[in-house]
């Protein structure tokens, strides 16, 4: 049975963290902390739910890295070729003489895409990685 009643719970965190959180809340335009926490929890649940999900999703993997990192380009290429069926496009931007931004557009089974994203973002030299996905309605 769905329980949609609002429940209250207490949260403790360091003052520094709370100040940053309140700043974020203001910037994002939330009315209060509760609203912001609800959104964060929903987002975390969506991300986590991909792990063992057979659903077809479409999304993107964004990578930020320094291309001088030994072997990194080889590894990135190898991993992407191993899952070429799930990759619709890869766009590479040379930001400056060292840094690259790579955007990989993906479509496939959620758990496979999540695995692909984990492999890519955990490579040594990848300084930032973000996987964003949306469910695709199956006909
Ligand atoms: Ni580059």
């Amino acid at each position: 049975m769905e329980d949609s009643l609002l429940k209250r719970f207490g949260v403790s965190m360091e003052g520094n963290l709370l100040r940053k959180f309140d700043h974020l809340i203001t910037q994002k335009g939330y009315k209060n902390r509760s609203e912001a926490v609800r959104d964060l929890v929903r987002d975390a649940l969506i991300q986590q739910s991909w792990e063992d999900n057979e659903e077809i999703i479409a999304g993107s993997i964004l990578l930020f890295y320094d291309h001088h990192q030994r072997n990194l380009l080889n590894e990135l290429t190898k991993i992407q070729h191993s899952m070429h069926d799930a990759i619709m496009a890869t766009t590479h931007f040379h930001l400056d003489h060292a840094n690259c931004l790579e955007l990989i557009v993906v479509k496939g089974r959620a758990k496979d895409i999540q695995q692909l994203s984990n492999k890519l973002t955990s490579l040594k030299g990848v300084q930032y990685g973000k996987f964003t996905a949306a469910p695709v309605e199956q006909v």
Side-chain angles (χ1 to χ4, degrees):
M1 202 172 77
E2 190 154 330
D3 186 358
S4 56
L5 287 174
L6 284 177
K7 305 273 164 58
R8 295 180 66 90
F9 68 101
V11 177
S12 314
M13 66 173 80
E14 298 88 345
N16 282 341
L17 192 59
L18 186 58
R19 263 195 300 282
K20 284 180 187 164
F21 185 49
D22 283 340
H23 186 62
L24 181 83
I25 287 172
T26 314
Q27 277 188 326
K28 291 210 167 188
Y30 288 112
K31 284 192 213 84
N32 51 53
R33 287 176 183 159
S34 291
E35 201 176 275
V37 169
R38 281 196 291 272
D39 252 21
L40 287 173
V41 171
R42 283 192 201 104
D43 202 42
L45 289 172
I46 287 172
Q47 288 302 324
Q48 196 270 331
S49 70
W50 300 135
E51 307 266 338
D52 48 23
N53 195 324
E54 303 275 341
E55 200 182 339
I56 303 295
I57 55 160
S60 67
I61 302 169
L62 186 72
L63 303 171
F64 178 77
Y65 57 85
D66 180 342
H67 77 265
H68 294 116
Q69 176 70 44
R70 220 176 118 88
N71 266 331
L72 179 57
L73 291 177
N74 272 339
E75 287 299 315
L76 286 170
T77 306
K78 208 161 69 185
I79 292 167
Q80 291 189 59
H81 274 276
S82 76
M83 288 206 50
H84 61 90
D85 282 342
I87 296 175
M88 303 172 79
T90 301
T91 308
H92 184 110
F93 305 89
H94 309 298
L95 295 179
D96 53 42
H97 84 274
N99 295 305
C100 307
L101 189 68
E102 199 156 309
L103 179 69
I104 305 166
V105 179
V106 287
K107 186 182 167 197
R109 281 197 311 179
K111 63 177 192 182
D112 297 336
I113 304 290
Q114 177 69 66
Q115 228 172 54
L116 170 67
S117 171
N118 290 347
K119 276 188 199 167
L120 292 169
T121 54
S122 64
L123 285 175
K124 194 175 177 203
V126 174
Q127 291 150 51
Y128 176 84
K130 176 83 177 167
F131 166 49
T132 315
V136 175
E137 218 170 49
Q138 290 185 70
V139 187

